[in-house]
Amino acid sequence: MLKELIEYLAKSLVDNPDQVSVNEVEGNTVTILELSVVPEDLGKVIGKQGRTAKAMRSLLLAAGVKARKKAILEIVEQR
Amino acid sequence: MHQYIEVEENTTEEALEAALKELGVSREQVSVRVLHEPTKGILGLGAKLAKIRVTLKEDISSTPEAILHEILSHIGLEAEIESQIINGSVHLTVSTDNPGILIGKHGQTLNAVEYLLNCILNRSSLVKKKVFVDAEGYRERREQTLVDLAHRAAAKVKQTHQEIVLEPMPPRDRRIIHVTLQSDEDIRTYSRGEGMMRRVAVTTREGYEPNAKQYD
């Protein structure tokens, strides 16, 4: 599942894994995955020049091909 | 599953030191077994070096293989992973029923997997050395493709005397282009652009301005 993939990656990357949550917003053609982390961990999931976020999106695309689904990753700051 | 290396040196202490350097870890992170003590022999005959086996002590769930396996299973890929230590770095080779998905366009997915694996390892593991990931001999094939591309670009530049700027590539791919054309006397290469848009330019010796990369 695409949501679990993002959840697993995010939790493995951050310092506060228990504060990671992924909200799934189902659309007609695509699913939006809203990854939320605490402000201190934002850099960990985004990375230098967005490299980590880009890598996660690459994996999401690959997993989507396999699962015949399309998902978009959005990163939000936890309030 | 455990990774170990065997080292021979004059003394067991020297062997341990060499092994730790090779693995890039400290003493607390390994267990050591002396396979045999050094023997002097008689008049230099029958002398033997000390031989030790050094095993990485690590939580099984945070080994590179285990994490890679977990990532791949989340993508939906059943995979078998083989681990090898080459020049002190862990190289993981993945066999899967669907290598196309794992590799992706120009290795994009494979690179993303490798990058994220290293990010996770740098956080959770004691080993700070880079881990390499390959599938179906992809890295070697990609290198050959890039070497061919470099030669074709060089030939065209020589014919037309016009600079060629290749498509954006990650550092390791750019490096292959530079190294391939390094020995070509008539050709110069340099990189231009920043970050993920950085590209290699192939140009003639005459057309090369050393400072060009700063003004692009």
Side-chain angles (χ1 to χ4, degrees), chain B residues 34-52:
Chain B
V34 177
L35 296 176
H36 58 75
E37 297 277 353
T39 44
K40 280 227 173 82
I42 301 154
L43 297 170
L45 290 172
K48 269 186 156 180
L49 295 171
K51 189 172 185 182
I52 60 166

PDB file of all heavy atoms in Angstrom, chain B residues 34-52:
ATOM      1  N   VAL B  34      39.945 -14.738  16.997  1.00  0.00           N
ATOM      2  CA  VAL B  34      41.292 -14.982  16.494  1.00  0.00           C
ATOM      3  C   VAL B  34      41.305 -16.360  15.846  1.00  0.00           C
ATOM      4  O   VAL B  34      41.012 -17.368  16.486  1.00  0.00           O
ATOM      5  CB  VAL B  34      42.336 -14.916  17.634  1.00  0.00           C
ATOM      6  CG1 VAL B  34      43.727 -15.252  17.097  1.00  0.00           C
ATOM      7  CG2 VAL B  34      42.325 -13.535  18.278  1.00  0.00           C
ATOM      8  N   LEU B  35      41.593 -16.397  14.555  1.00  0.00           N
ATOM      9  CA  LEU B  35      41.589 -17.675  13.834  1.00  0.00           C
ATOM     10  C   LEU B  35      42.910 -18.401  14.049  1.00  0.00           C
ATOM     11  O   LEU B  35      42.926 -19.599  14.230  1.00  0.00           O
ATOM     12  CB  LEU B  35      41.316 -17.454  12.350  1.00  0.00           C
ATOM     13  CG  LEU B  35      39.934 -16.865  12.050  1.00  0.00           C
ATOM     14  CD1 LEU B  35      39.788 -16.578  10.570  1.00  0.00           C
ATOM     15  CD2 LEU B  35      38.815 -17.773  12.527  1.00  0.00           C
ATOM     16  N   HIS B  36      44.030 -17.672  13.956  1.00  0.00           N
ATOM     17  CA  HIS B  36      45.253 -18.205  14.519  1.00  0.00           C
ATOM     18  C   HIS B  36      46.234 -17.116  14.909  1.00  0.00           C
ATOM     19  O   HIS B  36      46.308 -16.065  14.278  1.00  0.00           O
ATOM     20  CB  HIS B  36      45.911 -19.288  13.654  1.00  0.00           C
ATOM     21  CG  HIS B  36      46.248 -18.844  12.263  1.00  0.00           C
ATOM     22  ND1 HIS B  36      47.302 -18.031  11.985  1.00  0.00           N
ATOM     23  CD2 HIS B  36      45.670 -19.142  11.079  1.00  0.00           C
ATOM     24  CE1 HIS B  36      47.356 -17.832  10.686  1.00  0.00           C
ATOM     25  NE2 HIS B  36      46.372 -18.485  10.109  1.00  0.00           N
ATOM     26  N   GLU B  37      46.988 -17.386  15.973  1.00  0.00           N
ATOM     27  CA  GLU B  37      47.996 -16.448  16.472  1.00  0.00           C
ATOM     28  C   GLU B  37      49.175 -16.472  15.497  1.00  0.00           C
ATOM     29  O   GLU B  37      49.396 -17.463  14.796  1.00  0.00           O
ATOM     30  CB  GLU B  37      48.485 -16.912  17.861  1.00  0.00           C
ATOM     31  CG  GLU B  37      47.407 -16.923  18.926  1.00  0.00           C
ATOM     32  CD  GLU B  37      47.189 -15.546  19.552  1.00  0.00           C
ATOM     33  OE1 GLU B  37      47.968 -14.619  19.259  1.00  0.00           O
ATOM     34  OE2 GLU B  37      46.219 -15.414  20.321  1.00  0.00           O
ATOM     35  N   PRO B  38      49.932 -15.372  15.458  1.00  0.00           N
ATOM     36  CA  PRO B  38      51.106 -15.389  14.585  1.00  0.00           C
ATOM     37  C   PRO B  38      52.168 -16.343  15.128  1.00  0.00           C
ATOM     38  O   PRO B  38      52.317 -16.492  16.335  1.00  0.00           O
ATOM     39  CB  PRO B  38      51.592 -13.938  14.637  1.00  0.00           C
ATOM     40  CG  PRO B  38      51.079 -13.402  15.928  1.00  0.00           C
ATOM     41  CD  PRO B  38      49.806 -14.121  16.205  1.00  0.00           C
ATOM     42  N   THR B  39      52.866 -17.017  14.243  1.00  0.00           N
ATOM     43  CA  THR B  39      53.980 -17.867  14.683  1.00  0.00           C
ATOM     44  C   THR B  39      55.241 -17.427  13.951  1.00  0.00           C
ATOM     45  O   THR B  39      55.190 -17.068  12.776  1.00  0.00           O
ATOM     46  CB  THR B  39      53.701 -19.352  14.387  1.00  0.00           C
ATOM     47  OG1 THR B  39      53.168 -19.456  13.066  1.00  0.00           O
ATOM     48  CG2 THR B  39      52.694 -19.934  15.357  1.00  0.00           C
ATOM     49  N   LYS B  40      56.359 -17.432  14.694  1.00  0.00           N
ATOM     50  CA  LYS B  40      57.599 -16.941  14.105  1.00  0.00           C
ATOM     51  C   LYS B  40      58.243 -17.973  13.187  1.00  0.00           C
ATOM     52  O   LYS B  40      58.900 -17.652  12.230  1.00  0.00           O
ATOM     53  CB  LYS B  40      58.593 -16.586  15.228  1.00  0.00           C
ATOM     54  CG  LYS B  40      58.276 -15.227  15.831  1.00  0.00           C
ATOM     55  CD  LYS B  40      59.545 -14.390  15.944  1.00  0.00           C
ATOM     56  CE  LYS B  40      59.255 -12.967  16.373  1.00  0.00           C
ATOM     57  NZ  LYS B  40      59.091 -12.845  17.821  1.00  0.00           N
ATOM     58  N   GLY B  41      58.064 -19.242  13.496  1.00  0.00           N
ATOM     59  CA  GLY B  41      58.717 -20.277  12.713  1.00  0.00           C
ATOM     60  C   GLY B  41      60.178 -20.393  13.107  1.00  0.00           C
ATOM     61  O   GLY B  41      60.662 -19.702  13.997  1.00  0.00           O
ATOM     62  N   ILE B  42      60.890 -21.274  12.463  1.00  0.00           N
ATOM     63  CA  ILE B  42      62.315 -21.442  12.765  1.00  0.00           C
ATOM     64  C   ILE B  42      63.110 -20.845  11.624  1.00  0.00           C
ATOM     65  O   ILE B  42      62.914 -21.211  10.457  1.00  0.00           O
ATOM     66  CB  ILE B  42      62.650 -22.943  12.930  1.00  0.00           C
ATOM     67  CG1 ILE B  42      61.793 -23.520  14.050  1.00  0.00           C
ATOM     68  CG2 ILE B  42      64.137 -23.144  13.199  1.00  0.00           C
ATOM     69  CD1 ILE B  42      61.549 -25.005  13.925  1.00  0.00           C
ATOM     70  N   LEU B  43      63.957 -19.860  11.955  1.00  0.00           N
ATOM     71  CA  LEU B  43      64.762 -19.158  10.969  1.00  0.00           C
ATOM     72  C   LEU B  43      63.906 -18.660   9.800  1.00  0.00           C
ATOM     73  O   LEU B  43      64.271 -18.738   8.637  1.00  0.00           O
ATOM     74  CB  LEU B  43      65.859 -20.086  10.418  1.00  0.00           C
ATOM     75  CG  LEU B  43      66.878 -20.569  11.432  1.00  0.00           C
ATOM     76  CD1 LEU B  43      67.746 -21.671  10.819  1.00  0.00           C
ATOM     77  CD2 LEU B  43      67.745 -19.428  11.935  1.00  0.00           C
ATOM     78  N   GLY B  44      62.712 -18.172  10.164  1.00  0.00           N
ATOM     79  CA  GLY B  44      61.842 -17.624   9.135  1.00  0.00           C
ATOM     80  C   GLY B  44      61.081 -18.667   8.344  1.00  0.00           C
ATOM     81  O   GLY B  44      60.288 -18.344   7.479  1.00  0.00           O
ATOM     82  N   LEU B  45      61.297 -19.912   8.628  1.00  0.00           N
ATOM     83  CA  LEU B  45      60.544 -20.955   7.930  1.00  0.00           C
ATOM     84  C   LEU B  45      59.281 -21.284   8.724  1.00  0.00           C
ATOM     85  O   LEU B  45      59.311 -21.340   9.943  1.00  0.00           O
ATOM     86  CB  LEU B  45      61.375 -22.232   7.799  1.00  0.00           C
ATOM     87  CG  LEU B  45      62.562 -22.164   6.829  1.00  0.00           C
ATOM     88  CD1 LEU B  45      63.410 -23.421   6.951  1.00  0.00           C
ATOM     89  CD2 LEU B  45      62.069 -21.983   5.403  1.00  0.00           C
ATOM     90  N   GLY B  46      58.224 -21.458   7.992  1.00  0.00           N
ATOM     91  CA  GLY B  46      56.974 -21.820   8.662  1.00  0.00           C
ATOM     92  C   GLY B  46      56.334 -20.684   9.428  1.00  0.00           C
ATOM     93  O   GLY B  46      55.436 -20.905  10.210  1.00  0.00           O
ATOM     94  N   ALA B  47      56.838 -19.433   9.189  1.00  0.00           N
ATOM     95  CA  ALA B  47      56.237 -18.286   9.875  1.00  0.00           C
ATOM     96  C   ALA B  47      54.841 -18.034   9.330  1.00  0.00           C
ATOM     97  O   ALA B  47      54.598 -18.151   8.136  1.00  0.00           O
ATOM     98  CB  ALA B  47      57.103 -17.054   9.681  1.00  0.00           C
ATOM     99  N   LYS B  48      53.946 -17.689  10.256  1.00  0.00           N
ATOM    100  CA  LYS B  48      52.567 -17.434   9.825  1.00  0.00           C
ATOM    101  C   LYS B  48      52.076 -16.121  10.402  1.00  0.00           C
ATOM    102  O   LYS B  48      52.418 -15.756  11.526  1.00  0.00           O
ATOM    103  CB  LYS B  48      51.660 -18.565  10.321  1.00  0.00           C
ATOM    104  CG  LYS B  48      51.516 -19.704   9.323  1.00  0.00           C
ATOM    105  CD  LYS B  48      50.498 -20.698   9.831  1.00  0.00           C
ATOM    106  CE  LYS B  48      49.881 -21.492   8.710  1.00  0.00           C
ATOM    107  NZ  LYS B  48      48.899 -22.445   9.217  1.00  0.00           N
ATOM    108  N   LEU B  49      51.279 -15.418   9.618  1.00  0.00           N
ATOM    109  CA  LEU B  49      50.693 -14.169  10.082  1.00  0.00           C
ATOM    110  C   LEU B  49      49.525 -14.459  11.015  1.00  0.00           C
ATOM    111  O   LEU B  49      48.963 -15.540  11.001  1.00  0.00           O
ATOM    112  CB  LEU B  49      50.176 -13.352   8.891  1.00  0.00           C
ATOM    113  CG  LEU B  49      51.212 -12.850   7.886  1.00  0.00           C
ATOM    114  CD1 LEU B  49      50.510 -12.258   6.682  1.00  0.00           C
ATOM    115  CD2 LEU B  49      52.138 -11.833   8.531  1.00  0.00           C
ATOM    116  N   ALA B  50      49.193 -13.456  11.837  1.00  0.00           N
ATOM    117  CA  ALA B  50      47.996 -13.574  12.667  1.00  0.00           C
ATOM    118  C   ALA B  50      46.781 -13.444  11.764  1.00  0.00           C
ATOM    119  O   ALA B  50      46.768 -12.647  10.833  1.00  0.00           O
ATOM    120  CB  ALA B  50      47.983 -12.472  13.710  1.00  0.00           C
ATOM    121  N   LYS B  51      45.771 -14.228  12.035  1.00  0.00           N
ATOM    122  CA  LYS B  51      44.560 -14.135  11.218  1.00  0.00           C
ATOM    123  C   LYS B  51      43.348 -14.000  12.140  1.00  0.00           C
ATOM    124  O   LYS B  51      43.186 -14.789  13.071  1.00  0.00           O
ATOM    125  CB  LYS B  51      44.421 -15.368  10.340  1.00  0.00           C
ATOM    126  CG  LYS B  51      43.317 -15.234   9.310  1.00  0.00           C
ATOM    127  CD  LYS B  51      43.339 -16.399   8.338  1.00  0.00           C
ATOM    128  CE  LYS B  51      42.323 -16.188   7.240  1.00  0.00           C
ATOM    129  NZ  LYS B  51      42.271 -17.312   6.311  1.00  0.00           N
ATOM    130  N   ILE B  52      42.538 -12.965  11.888  1.00  0.00           N
ATOM    131  CA  ILE B  52      41.349 -12.780  12.725  1.00  0.00           C
ATOM    132  C   ILE B  52      40.104 -12.635  11.852  1.00  0.00           C
ATOM    133  O   ILE B  52      40.195 -12.277  10.683  1.00  0.00           O
ATOM    134  CB  ILE B  52      41.463 -11.530  13.641  1.00  0.00           C
ATOM    135  CG1 ILE B  52      41.631 -10.264  12.805  1.00  0.00           C
ATOM    136  CG2 ILE B  52      42.607 -11.678  14.623  1.00  0.00           C
ATOM    137  CD1 ILE B  52      41.404  -8.990  13.590  1.00  0.00           C
TER     138      ILE B  52
END
